[in-house]
Amino acid sequence: MSTILIVDGDEGLVQFLARLFVKQGWEVASCGDSPSSLARLSAEDFDLVLLEHRPPALDGLAALAEIKSRRLTTPAILMTACGTTETAIEAMKRGAYEYMLKPFDTEELKRVVAGALEASRLMKQVVAIPDTLARITPDSAAGVRLVGAHREMQEVFKLIGQVAEKDVTVLITGESGTGKELVARAIYQHSLRSDKPFLAVNCAAIPDSLFESELFGYERGAFTGADRTCAGRFERCNTGTLFFDEIGDMSLGTQAKLLRVLQEGTFERLGGSEPIRVDVRIIAATNKDLEAEVEAGRFREDLYYRLKIIAIRLPPLRVRIDDIPPLVDYFVGRLAKEYGKPLRYVSDQAIRKMRAYDWPGNVRELENSLRRAVLMCKGDVLLPEHVRLENENTGQGGAGIPADPVRLLRERIEELVPEILRISGSQARGNLIDLVEEVLVARALAECGNNQVHAARQLGISRNTLRHRIRKYDLGADKAP
């Protein structure tokens, strides 16, 4: 349960806020002055602090500066009944999550507090890397860690360790449910900005008409209803890390404005003319093929290459089937503890059932399936009947295809590889990958009647990449088998 500390000398207001927050399921504590609040913040773990600014009795700005100087990660919302533009600007400079004028709009207050608590959760919940590259141990991760022994996942862990402390932009790609947000949070937690803000922006959830004001804020009077100056995500996240989830859904107009921030480090609030300089690290994630989006004109090429300084690709769960048993152990252990279940074992039959499924929803689908299984399990052994899969009634995977086609393909390739290596001489091995790739590309073109769009889709690559391979191997329409 989230805990909030209210620092305000008005007992009536404190009681009102306490009732409001308790109805939302949040715990509340209070202090009447700034020195007491700093002592409590140092001694106790709060998820959010609301600071009254009413000089000279309550100097919320001074308290805010002290919180940041002590490197406390608790987000702070500054409240005041005597606000000015200068106070608002100073509050954001000193690291406030938000600046709110009294009297409050109740719904707006609940929305801002809920957002601050989510930011607090993301900052404080450490994501452990199962590797000596991490500065923390899995036991310290509060039950959240990345799991995977597959070679592609090991490469992901190595990349996180290599780039976390380097102040570079990172682009994370992968299908929905592969764990892109966890990787972003792991990079943040192991970075040199781990004591600074971490804010997530879901590009698919914010209407385009609101995106600019959400990112860059707005000045009072910028539009109807803008009765105060409001800071955007970039200002709130100054010196910290901003995570753009599903950035492939961002409109072209907003992409242009984001590119300017990346290039110049400055922006203007909506309705403003003064440039605001920020120092923010960008991590972006998408489940789309951005190369294909660029080719289709839906994503800016210059922004794509700005984001792709470091690229991390997460493999789908179906290509790392051997990671299912440790993932099951991890999720069942965590969920059994969460729900107070006496689970001690997962049957071999249940594991085999899960290994035979193609998991179109990836790790997220596995977790959700196990959540239900743990709730349904009445004994100390999780059995196959507790695990419900999308293909139970059809005998097929979620996409209407055999449950494990990728595993079958891997097995066939692995059977062929020894023979290929034996046939190829030692001098030919340097070109062996090119040979296999050329055959694959040529065959895909032939199967698709030399339709490059269909062939690229079949191969799982962009059309630009396919064209490069066609030129590389001199595969004209007349040369496809």
Side-chain angles (χ1 to χ4, degrees), residues 255-273:
Q255 289 174 33
K257 294 179 173 67
L258 175 59
L259 180 64
R260 181 192 167 189
V261 182
L262 291 178
Q263 290 173 333
E264 302 175 12
T266 62
F267 64 92
E268 290 95 34
R269 295 194 194 102
L270 193 65
S273 57

Side-chain angles (χ1 to χ4, degrees), residues 48-49 64 68 74-78 91-92 94-99 111-120 123 197-199 231-233 235-237:
L48 175 65
V49 57
L64 184 59
K68 296 305 172 184
T74 308
I77 295 173
L78 199 75
M92 304 318 296
R94 298 192 187 194
Y97 176 83
E98 184 58 283
Y99 169 84
R111 184 189 69 80
V112 170
V113 169
L117 289 172
E118 174 63 9
S120 180
M123 284 190 283
F198 177 88
L199 296 182
R233 304 287 180 97
E235 272 185 274
R236 293 180 192 170
C237 205

Side-chain angles (χ1 to χ4, degrees), residues 40 282 318 362 408 412 445 464:
R40 292 199 67 171
I282 301 296
R318 62 182 173 273
N362 294 295
L408 179 62
R412 289 181 179 176
L445 285 166
N464 276 343

Side-chain angles (χ1 to χ4, degrees), residues 5 36-46 66 70 72 74:
L5 177 64
S36 300
S37 69
L38 292 171
R40 292 199 67 171
L41 283 168
S42 298
E44 302 175 49
D45 185 24
F46 290 96
E66 184 65 21
R70 296 187 186 188
L72 299 173
T74 308

Side-chain angles (χ1 to χ4, degrees), residues 202-221:
N202 188 335
C203 300
I206 302 175
D208 191 49
S209 58
L210 300 178
F211 218 114
E212 187 175 352
S213 60
E214 280 286 329
L215 289 186
F216 308 118
Y218 53 84
E219 297 285 353
R220 182 178 180 180

Side-chain angles (χ1 to χ4, degrees), residues 321-336:
I321 294 297
D322 288 342
D323 279 343
I324 285 181
L327 281 166
V328 170
D329 288 344
Y330 165 64
F331 283 128
V332 169
R334 198 187 80 191
L335 294 168

Side-chain angles (χ1 to χ4, degrees), residues 221-242:
F223 50 84
T224 303
D227 56 356
R228 63 188 178 91
T229 296
C230 181
R233 304 287 180 97
F234 270 102
E235 272 185 274
R236 293 180 192 170
C237 205
N238 191 28
T239 73
T241 303
L242 197 52

